Amino acid sequence: MKYLKEFRDSDVARAFIRKIRDISKKDVKLMEVCGTHTVSIFRHGIRDVLPPNIKLISGPGCPVCVTPNRQIDEALELCKIPGLIMTTFGDMMKVPGSYSSLAKEKARGTDIRIVYSTMDAVKLAQENPTREVVFFGIGFETTSPTIAAAVLAAERLGLRNFSVVGAQKLIPEAIRALLDSNEIGINGFICPGHVSSILGVEPYRFICEEYHVPAVIVGFEPLDMLQGIYMLVKQIEAGEAKVEIQYTRGVPEHGNPRARELLFKVFEISDAEWRGIGHIPGTGLKFRREYAKYDAVAKFNIKVENAREHPGCICGEVLRGVKVPYECKLFGKACVPENPVGACMVSTEGTCAAYYKYGTRE
Ligand code: SF4
């Protein structure tokens, strides 16, 4: 507990809350773009201790939530191939696509398996040489190097029965899309700790230099959150805009070059479709030509043309921070974590799931 307790010290927390209250004069909206931050904010009651002029808004920080139905439908189409084993991380299982979910298809007898690491999927392909094994690859910059590593391992092992549904996303240009749309007037970004441990500071510079909005890379403990908010408010009140690292114990200024090298050996940057935001240039990853044979959607010629969202679900607006889950008519009634209608209620990192579990003042 040693390393946890020192980031949860209530006296230090009270001191940060006082400092925030002392300097905070303006009405500000701060957005977190990381599902782990969303959960930390709710779990530790951070919203409740801030002065009412500071509003925290959850953005598109949950990789499961931002995966559009079309890509879920592609994975479901692949599941129809006889003998194929679909693998995925657990939180993807219950996310509804247009007509079904992986959990429902598994209950109907399809061979869908939860893996805890991308290498588990490679191992399955090794153990089942006569069957195709597909990994449903979702995630941001933190997870994507591990997907690249799995592809390189499959290549080294000469596996021809392993492939990936590449649904990974990149965060920085999604922040640009939010700033360009200017739907809610964000005054500062709480940047993700895990993603930044790979990226470092550089990819966020445009937020300050082009949009004059401050950004602070923040850790996940309550004192991290409070200190990060203090750093943002201090910049805003002083009229400054720069990228700072609060989470210095986890994020080197230059990130993790080795992980980026691995990632870009296999993938190159492309455009991507985000649930609720739509097409965003420079936020996706596609296989480089030499690794294109690992692209499951191309390999099996999967085409999905009739993807649709649930008509009552407002996940898109929730992910853009335009609406809060309470504004959804289905919240807590037809849509609950045990029976989610939309992606934001499925993942533990989803905004709707966090509102449902912890509640909050608005
Ligand atoms: Fe979608 Fe459910 Fe959230 Fe409503 S409560 S926006 S249906 S996930």
Side-chain angles (χ1 to χ4, degrees):
M1 285 298 284
K2 178 180 182 297
Y3 295 108
L4 270 187
K5 267 169 101 176
E6 60 196 59
F7 295 104
R8 296 182 177 186
D9 185 300
S10 56
D11 289 337
V12 182
R14 268 191 283 274
F16 271 126
I17 294 164
R18 262 196 310 275
K19 281 165 77 169
I20 293 169
R21 286 177 184 271
D22 285 349
I23 63 164
S24 173
K25 307 280 182 273
K26 298 176 182 164
D27 286 339
V28 295
K29 290 176 185 160
L30 309 179
M31 177 178 270
E32 87 272 1
V33 279
C34 168
T36 315
H37 279 153
T38 303
V39 172
S40 178
I41 287 166
F42 281 93
R43 181 180 292 146
H44 300 297
I46 303 290
R47 288 183 177 196
D48 299 321
V49 298
L50 296 176
N53 58 315
I54 300 177
K55 203 163 179 215
L56 299 185
I57 295 167
S58 302
C62 154
V64 167
C65 307
V66 299
T67 303
N69 275 5
R70 182 185 56 79
Q71 287 181 309
I72 298 168
D73 294 351
E74 284 172 352
L76 291 167
E77 279 300 306
L78 282 159
C79 289
K80 292 178 185 166
I81 295 172
L84 184 141
I85 303 172
M86 177 61 70
T87 61
T88 185
F89 294 139
D91 47 2
M92 203 64 219
M93 288 296 287
K94 276 168 55 180
V95 182
S98 302
Y99 305 99
S100 186
S101 67
L102 292 171
K104 282 184 185 158
E105 294 310 311
K106 185 175 172 65
R108 290 183 188 127
T110 310
D111 196 348
I112 301 170
R113 305 189 196 185
I114 293 173
V115 290
Y116 296 96
S117 126
T118 54
M119 291 301 174
D120 291 346
V122 175
K123 193 159 171 267
L124 259 180
Q126 246 186 313
E127 291 166 354
N128 295 274
T130 59
R131 299 177 67 183
E132 290 289 338
V133 174
V134 174
F135 177 70
F136 190 3
I138 58 146
F140 294 136
E141 286 86 341
T142 330
T143 314
S144 291
T146 70
I147 298 173
V151 170
L152 292 173
E155 178 82 350
R156 261 194 319 276
L157 293 164
L159 298 177
R160 292 289 165 263
N161 61 331
F162 176 76
S163 55
V164 174
V165 177
Q168 308 103 288
K169 307 269 186 291
L170 303 172
I171 285 285
E173 289 301 307
I175 293 179
R176 186 191 293 279
L178 291 168
L179 285 164
D180 282 341
S181 74
N182 198 22
E183 284 184 295
I184 47 174
I186 302 159
N187 304 103
F189 280 96
I190 298 170
C191 290
H194 297 140
V195 163
S196 307
S197 69
I198 306 295
L199 290 180
V201 167
E202 203 52 43
Y204 302 114
R205 292 234 192 263
F206 74 91
I207 303 173
C208 313
E209 289 168 4
E210 297 178 37
Y211 297 88
H212 201 71
V213 170
V216 176
I217 298 166
V218 179
F220 303 100
E221 290 300 321
L223 294 189
D224 291 322
M225 298 300 314
L226 289 170
Q227 187 180 23
I229 291 165
Y230 172 68
M231 290 163 78
L232 276 172
V233 172
K234 203 169 155 201
Q235 283 197 52
I236 293 166
E237 294 293 339
E240 292 175 349
K242 55 190 175 190
V243 188
E244 293 183 295
I245 308 176
Q246 178 281 329
Y247 191 34
T248 48
R249 67 188 185 283
V251 177
E253 189 177 346
H254 300 293
N256 184 334
R258 175 75 189 110
R260 292 199 299 272
E261 188 189 317
L262 200 66
L263 172 59
F264 292 115
K265 187 174 166 68
V266 175
F267 297 104
E268 58 189 335
I269 294 177
S270 66
D271 300 348
E273 186 188 341
W274 293 58
R275 183 190 298 276
I277 305 178
H279 179 92
I280 312 180
T283 60
L285 290 169
K286 68 173 185 187
F287 283 94
R288 288 189 181 280
R289 199 156 38 89
E290 49 278 41
Y291 296 100
K293 58 180 178 279
Y294 294 100
D295 179 344
V297 174
K299 180 176 178 179
F300 296 101
N301 195 24
I302 299 297
K303 294 209 184 338
V304 169
E305 273 152 14
N306 49 356
R308 63 173 181 98
E309 301 294 329
H310 188 287
C313 175
I314 60 163
C315 266
E317 284 139 301
V318 171
L319 287 166
R320 300 199 308 277
V322 176
K323 287 191 176 171
V324 293
Y326 295 146
E327 293 175 76
C328 174
K329 289 192 179 78
L330 307 179
F331 178 84
K333 299 179 191 107
C335 183
V336 291
E338 299 73 37
N339 184 30
V341 172
C344 300
M345 189 58 93
V346 178
S347 167
T348 48
E349 296 194 341
T351 306
C352 296
Y355 269 72
Y356 186 83
K357 185 167 180 191
Y358 299 103
T360 184
R361 74 168 163 83
E362 282 305 323

